[in-house]
Amino acid sequence: MNYRFLFASIKNILTTPRNYWNTTLSEPASTKLIRNSLVFPLVLLVTLAGITGSAIFVNTEMPLLYSILHGVKTFILLTAVIYSTSFILKEITYPLDLGRDFSIAFRLVTFSMVPFLLCSIVSSAFESLLFLNILGLYGLYVFWSGANAILNPPQHKRMPLLIAATIVMTGFYIALDFFFTMLTDRVFYAFFD
């Protein structure tokens, strides 16, 4: 894992996203580096915060195994949302004549998810701070500036791209969260109740 990449990416995405996108154009990071040094560490931190928050504050009556299953669900959920949204975004850009490149779609999705993942670390540990996730909407601006820098869509295609990406990501998050919550609850109550 490249800690320098992790901290520099977070800092630059949060403070100067337009400049960061221009830097990534001149020095593109590989999908593997982004996955191993940005996505998995942040998702793992959200997972650990979720396990801790669930065990200490939310599910105090439940055994620790329930909180661990909740954490595993969170890890799988966030990873699945990032990859499935990247795949669909790659397909969305093709009819808009913006190319069809998974690595570009993956960069757009992962970098725009950073604000939400950082907010989720806090809100997963302390459920009473769930309202902080609204700050994750800053990711829409990160996506907007990234799409303009990397894809350079015509003016009339920018808003449909942003709306489509937002709907896809939100839809996947809600649907997969519902599915994985039902699955983990059934597994827990089938084997451990």
Side-chain angles (χ1 to χ4, degrees), residues 33-82:
L33 176 68
I34 296 169
R35 181 192 67 218
N36 294 340
S37 296
L38 184 67
V39 175
F40 283 161
L42 288 177
V43 170
L44 190 59
L45 284 173
V46 173
T47 301
L48 293 175
I51 291 171
T52 305
S54 176
I56 295 174
F57 300 115
V58 179
N59 299 315
T60 56
E61 304 287 321
M62 303 292 278
L64 180 63
L65 187 59
Y66 184 80
S67 297
I68 292 171
L69 277 175
H70 173 73
V72 169
K73 176 205 80 148
T74 301
F75 185 85
I76 294 170
L77 169 69
L78 291 173
T79 305
V81 166
I82 289 170

Side-chain angles (χ1 to χ4, degrees), residues 94-169:
Y94 184 69
L96 294 173
D97 294 326
L98 301 173
R100 185 185 277 175
D101 189 352
F102 180 78
S103 66
I104 289 174
F106 187 73
R107 277 192 282 165
L108 285 169
V109 170
T110 55
F111 293 153
S112 64
M113 284 283 290
V114 166
F116 175 73
L117 293 174
L118 292 173
C119 293
S120 293
I121 292 169
V122 177
S123 66
S124 294
F126 306 102
E127 194 172 86
S128 60
L129 298 176
L130 191 62
F131 66 91
L132 286 179
N133 284 346
I134 197 79
L135 297 175
L137 291 176
Y138 182 68
L140 293 174
Y141 174 72
V142 174
F143 181 87
W144 178 269
S145 59
N148 290 338
I150 293 178
L151 299 173
N152 196 18
Q155 189 68 32
H156 67 281
K157 292 183 182 180
R158 290 179 183 175
M159 192 54 73
L161 180 63
L162 178 67
I163 291 170
T166 304
I167 289 172
V168 167
M169 188 177 297

